[in-house]
Structure formats: C-alpha cells, structure tokens
C-alpha cells in the first residue's frame, strides 16, 4: 500500500518514505511510527498501542517514545509546536492529522 499526504508517500511494500519521489532515509522504528499513525488516522493511537506495535511490548522510556515521535515529525517536516501532521494528545497518545490518499502499488 502507498499512502500519500502533502508531498510525501509512505510505501509499506518497499518500506520507504518518499518526498516528491525521492527516498528519505529513516530508522525502522521511525517508519513504523509513521505507518502505524497513518493506518490508524481515524483515531488516536495510545502510547501503549505504540509501544506494543513498534517495540513489541518491551518496556521503553518516555524519552524513547518522544525521540521516535520527534524523528517522525522531522522526517515529514512537522514539529512539536505546529503539530500539523502528528498531533500529541497530552498524556494519552498521538493522532495523524494530514489528509491521506491511498494509492495502488
């Protein structure tokens, strides 16, 4: 599946994040965060769900979660202040706000 938003594409088959057709290098966990949020864009993803999906339920610190969210935002040209694409739901989790189009692979 390819998810397109703004000038970005997330290709789940190729495990790629692209901007205007050019591949952007991201860590696997950062890609997993972006993918999880896009695939659940109709709702908030709890921190527990994020940890279960990205870290296979292992215990991780708040700083590890914050680091991956920050890296995901940087990769898609968002930031914690504007939160145009990834919104923090304080103390609960995260939401993907951008309009997404699903493209055939």
């Amino acid at each position: 599946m390819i998810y397109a938003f703004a000038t970005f594409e997330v290709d789940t088959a190729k495990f790629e994040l692209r901007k205007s057709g050019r591949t952007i290098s991201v860590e696997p966990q950062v890609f997993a965060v972006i993918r999880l949020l896009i695939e659940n864009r109709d709702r908030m993803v709890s921190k527990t769900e994020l940890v279960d999906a990205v870290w296979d339920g292992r215990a991780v610190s708040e700083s590890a979660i914050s680091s991956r969210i920050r890296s995901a935002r940087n990769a898609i040209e968002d930031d914690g202040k504007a939160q145009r694409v990834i919104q923090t739901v304080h103390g609960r989790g995260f939401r993907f706000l951008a309009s997404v189009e699903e493209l055939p692979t």
Side-chain angles (χ1 to χ4, degrees):
M1 176 66 64
I2 297 174
Y3 298 103
F5 61 98
T7 58
F8 294 93
E9 291 182 344
V10 174
D11 187 330
T12 61
K14 292 183 178 178
F15 208 74
E16 284 183 345
L17 173 64
R18 296 185 291 266
K19 180 182 181 192
S20 302
R22 302 183 102 165
T23 301
I24 298 171
S25 179
V26 293
E27 297 174 12
Q29 287 180 335
V30 173
F31 184 87
V33 166
I34 295 169
R35 179 181 180 173
L36 178 68
L37 293 175
I38 287 175
E39 289 178 344
N40 294 281
R41 62 193 176 275
D42 59 327
R43 64 183 183 84
M44 181 201 73
V45 175
S46 71
K47 287 183 181 182
T48 301
E49 186 178 353
L50 185 69
V51 169
D52 287 345
V54 176
W55 287 273
D56 296 321
R58 292 187 302 267
V60 295
S61 67
E62 283 289 322
S63 64
I65 296 169
S66 295
S67 173
R68 295 312 178 277
I69 292 292
R70 185 172 35 258
S71 293
R73 284 182 171 137
N74 287 339
I76 58 176
E77 299 178 348
D78 194 15
D79 62 68
K81 191 169 192 162
Q83 296 188 21
R84 293 178 311 276
V85 181
I86 297 174
Q87 176 189 38
T88 299
V89 181
H90 186 69
R92 301 208 180 268
F94 306 93
R95 289 196 64 206
F96 196 87
L97 299 178
S99 179
V100 177
E101 182 180 358
E102 296 182 7
L103 305 174
T105 53

